[in-house]
Amino acid sequence: MQESAESSPDSFKLGQRVHSESDPSRIGTVKYVGPAQGYSGMWVGVDWDNGEGKHDGSVNGVRYFQAKSERSGSFVRTQNLSPGISFLEALHIRYKGESTKEEEDEMYVLSASNKRVSVELVGKEKIQDKLSRFEELKGASLPYLGVSTPGNPSDISSLVPSESEGVRLDRKFDFRMEGCQYICEQLPALTAVNLSEFNVAEHYWATSTEKTSVEELNHLLPMIEELHLMRNGISRIMPTSSSIVQGFGSLRLLNLENNSIAEWNEILKLSLLRSLEQLHLNKNNLKHIFYPDADTIQKLLSGSESNVKMPFQNLHCLLLGGNNIEDLASVDSLNSFPKLVDIRLSENPIADTGRSGIPRFVLIARLSKVEILNGSEVSLRERKDSEIRYVRLVMSKLHDNPDEIKEHPRFAELKAFHGIEGERPSVGTSGPQKMASGLLSVNLKCVGASICEKPLLTKKLPATTTVGKLKILCESFFKLKSIKPKLFLQEEGSPLPSLLDDEMATLTDIGIGNESTILVDEES
């Protein structure tokens, strides 16, 4: 980072975004400019985003400003703060500046004796030379550099090639959408823009006419294919011209992760983006999702010139991890999306078996087209095993509650597809054994640290065996003295095994089939 001249108090105003001169990633908001009792000179009171300050804006009993928390505020000398730099200055620092000795000293690995061994980059000069030629630059990443102004638009167009493909700007800094406009006007060939942690339009996709709408990017960047708007506090999507977001004819990926969207109706305003293939909605506040019917589409199209009639017509990836989805209807609705094959539902109540959610095999069986679930590929074998296990599970519940079938819209289809009649699945010798025999072949594998290595056991157990009974059997099988076993079901494609904690549930209840593997751990 280049040394900057000492800033005068006039360089800062209330509400301005600033960063520490020594650490551009440390960003805050100016809350006070002036003297402080008992101290000489002028001071700037800053409320730091990361909450790492010294006080709440009150010093020695005098209130100067109100910080957001008890220790997020501090007073800083003007020479130790930066009001930010221009887009072009950031480019020079990132791609033309020489690395400092301190930065090079930080490049090391630890040896076996825990000593630092310096790392030297092979071909470093050649790479730096290529990056420093702005006329060949295809993309730029400028996080943590304090970009606050675009600089002279004509300078941008003369130094940076108009066919540059991607720009990532600074996080949480005072860089307005108007500044982004200037850059975009000079780089019309941009196909990827990252405005994450950008405080975009203060919690809205578009707000009043006083602020620039993100929709303006559609006019400025006709070729945009990727738009990242993570961690912007977005809770509503408010198109400027109609009830839906229009344009963005080339937009393939829209990233709205880590925002505050709670209503699926807000997402439906994006449903008619005809080229949208990937929609990232991880870590929002969604509780329920659904595929819009014809009436909903008509309402969305009201006042719109769009001729797209099928919602989410090209969407093949929908990431919904870390939301609050807890109903099966939301899961089943994913089958209605015409091309959806890549789905993430992890960290939702509905997929958390520890919170009465459903296991992976049930999700696979209910989702007819899914090919990638929670980041793991669904193989043909896993799909077949999951669907048969699911049918058996539902059949076991129907004996006591015939109305249960209403909760399983794919049950009849899967039962017929796999040739399962009554209690006899006719899938050949490689598939599950006949349930009439009442026995399942189950693999038992010890993984407990103090259990020691024990060979894998394969046992034939009645399908009615409960988890509690299986624990007792494992104590006998593995001769576990004074060790209470803890059981987990290891499923293909699932990154973590599922805890079997309901001691009254039978093997059938939890969907265990032939050749299933149960891990035997120990209670901590």
Side-chain angles (χ1 to χ4, degrees):
M1 174 71 73
Q2 293 175 338
E3 293 292 329
S4 61
E6 180 174 338
S7 302
S8 70
D10 294 337
S11 301
F12 303 98
K13 59 183 182 295
L14 297 185
Q16 182 178 355
R17 301 285 282 168
V18 293
H19 69 74
S20 169
E21 184 67 41
S22 61
D23 182 5
S25 66
R26 191 169 186 236
I27 300 168
T29 303
V30 174
K31 295 292 187 179
Y32 173 83
V33 180
Q37 286 186 19
Y39 300 91
S40 62
M42 300 296 288
W43 295 84
V44 180
V46 180
D47 194 4
W48 298 104
D49 289 3
N50 62 9
E52 296 178 1
K54 296 182 178 180
H55 50 71
D56 65 352
S58 177
V59 179
N60 296 331
V62 179
R63 170 70 61 189
Y64 295 94
F65 63 93
Q66 183 62 59
K68 64 178 180 289
S69 66
E70 291 184 358
R71 301 187 66 82
S72 64
S74 67
F75 281 105
V76 187
R77 290 291 192 185
T78 56
Q79 64 266 29
N80 295 325
L81 283 179
S82 171
I85 59 178
S86 72
F87 175 70
L88 287 176
E89 287 177 302
L91 281 176
H92 276 278
I93 292 170
R94 176 68 75 192
Y95 297 106
K96 284 184 177 289
E98 294 291 332
S99 59
T100 65
K101 184 178 186 304
E102 289 76 13
E103 290 173 330
E104 292 180 354
D105 287 344
E106 287 301 310
M107 298 178 62
Y108 64 88
V109 295
L110 293 176
S111 68
S113 58
N114 208 35
K115 294 182 178 180
R116 290 191 180 191
V117 178
S118 297
V119 174
E120 181 178 350
L121 294 178
V122 178
K124 172 185 171 184
E125 292 78 9
K126 186 176 181 180
I127 294 172
Q128 282 186 330
D129 178 64
K130 182 176 181 179
L131 290 175
S132 67
R133 293 198 294 271
F134 287 168
E135 67 276 8
E136 298 179 12
L137 197 63
K138 290 294 184 182
S141 179
L142 307 174
Y144 306 112
L145 288 180
V147 179
S148 60
T149 63
N152 190 320
S154 60
D155 291 341
I156 296 175
S157 59
S158 62
L159 285 176
V160 184
S162 60
E163 63 271 17
S164 293
E165 297 171 355
V167 168
R168 177 189 175 189
L169 294 173
D170 212 340
R171 66 189 288 272
K172 291 186 177 179
F173 213 72
D174 191 22
F175 191 84
R176 303 298 183 188
M177 287 299 296
E178 290 85 347
C180 186
Q181 269 189 294
Y182 291 135
I183 294 176
C184 293
E185 286 172 352
Q186 304 305 315
L187 305 175
L190 282 176
T191 59
V193 174
N194 189 333
L195 300 179
S196 295
E197 295 189 282
F198 207 72
N199 297 319
V200 169
E202 294 185 31
H203 313 305
Y204 299 96
W205 177 280
T207 57
S208 66
T209 55
E210 295 178 0
K211 293 192 179 290
T212 305
S213 163
V214 176
E215 274 193 320
E216 291 298 318
L217 291 176
N218 176 50
H219 306 295
L220 297 168
L221 299 172
M223 299 172 63
I224 189 169
E225 297 179 6
E226 291 188 20
L227 179 57
H228 299 265
L229 298 171
M230 297 171 63
R231 295 180 293 276
N232 274 300
I234 296 172
S235 60
R236 297 173 62 191
I237 295 174
M238 298 175 62
T240 54
S241 54
S242 69
S243 59
I244 62 170
V245 175
Q246 300 187 66
F248 292 101
S250 301
L251 187 64
R252 297 182 298 103
L253 186 155
L254 177 59
N255 188 344
L256 290 169
E257 293 187 6
N258 288 93
N259 279 292
S260 305
I261 303 170
E263 298 295 330
W264 183 248
N265 282 328
E266 298 299 320
I267 302 302
L268 291 184
K269 297 172 184 176
L270 307 169
S271 63
L272 301 184
L273 296 177
R274 65 176 183 271
S275 298
L276 189 63
E277 297 176 357
Q278 300 183 54
L279 182 55
H280 298 189
L281 298 171
N282 292 326
K283 297 185 178 179
N284 276 274
N285 299 319
L286 296 166
K287 295 182 178 180
H288 176 68
I289 65 174
F290 60 91
Y291 190 77
D293 56 22
D295 290 340
T296 304
I297 293 302
Q298 284 304 117
K299 291 178 182 178
L300 287 172
L301 289 171
S302 178
S304 167
E305 297 179 0
S306 175
N307 57 3
V308 179
K309 301 298 182 183
M310 182 182 292
F312 300 110
Q313 62 178 9
N314 284 307
L315 189 70
H316 67 75
C317 174
L318 180 59
L319 306 185
L320 295 163
N323 280 277
N324 299 315
I325 299 168
E326 57 185 4
D327 63 307
L328 288 170
S330 291
V331 175
D332 295 334
S333 72
L334 296 172
N335 288 317
S336 299
F337 290 71
K339 296 184 179 181
L340 189 58
V341 295
D342 185 352
I343 300 169
R344 181 174 291 277
L345 288 168
S346 53
E347 298 182 68
N348 278 283
I350 190 63
D352 185 350
T353 54
R355 290 190 286 172
S356 301
I358 56 179
R360 177 180 171 89
F361 81 90
V362 173
L363 288 172
I364 291 172
R366 297 188 82 111
L367 297 170
S368 60
K369 299 191 293 285
V370 67
E371 297 176 4
I372 301 175
L373 178 61
N374 297 334
S376 297
E377 182 181 0
V378 178
S379 66
L380 292 177
R381 176 180 175 179
E382 184 183 14
R383 171 161 291 284
K384 178 180 178 180
D385 290 347
S386 296
E387 290 177 349
I388 292 175
R389 289 173 63 189
Y390 171 70
V391 171
R392 294 177 59 212
L393 174 63
V394 176
M395 288 173 64
S396 70
K397 294 181 177 181
L398 292 180
H399 291 299
D400 299 322
N401 182 16
D403 290 337
E404 175 80 17
I405 197 169
K406 297 176 182 178
E407 302 295 324
H408 303 276
R410 295 200 70 214
F411 170 71
E413 169 197 348
L414 294 176
K415 184 170 177 286
F417 179 78
H418 292 289
I420 302 174
E421 295 295 336
E423 298 192 354
R424 296 181 172 222
S426 54
V427 293
T429 57
S430 60
Q433 295 178 352
K434 293 182 179 181
M435 289 180 64
S437 66
L439 296 178
L440 297 173
S441 180
V442 178
N443 298 317
L444 301 172
K445 181 179 180 181
C446 271
V447 295
S450 62
I451 298 177
C452 301
E453 290 188 13
K454 296 182 182 293
L456 179 76
L457 290 182
T458 299
K459 294 289 184 178
K460 291 187 176 181
L461 303 171
T464 56
T465 303
T466 64
V467 171
K469 177 64 174 177
L470 182 56
K471 287 183 178 181
I472 296 173
L473 291 173
C474 286
E475 291 178 16
S476 174
F477 293 154
F478 295 107
K479 297 180 173 57
L480 305 179
K481 297 180 180 179
S482 69
I483 295 177
K484 295 295 183 183
K486 191 175 185 179
L487 306 182
F488 295 84
L489 175 61
Q490 187 175 55
E491 296 184 273
E492 179 183 354
S494 182
L496 295 173
S498 302
L499 174 64
L500 305 180
D501 56 355
D502 183 354
E503 298 207 352
M504 299 304 296
T506 67
L507 299 185
T508 300
D509 291 338
I510 55 182
I512 290 179
N514 275 306
E515 306 307 323
S516 290
T517 297
I518 293 177
L519 305 180
V520 183
D521 202 348
E522 56 190 296
E523 293 281 2
S524 57

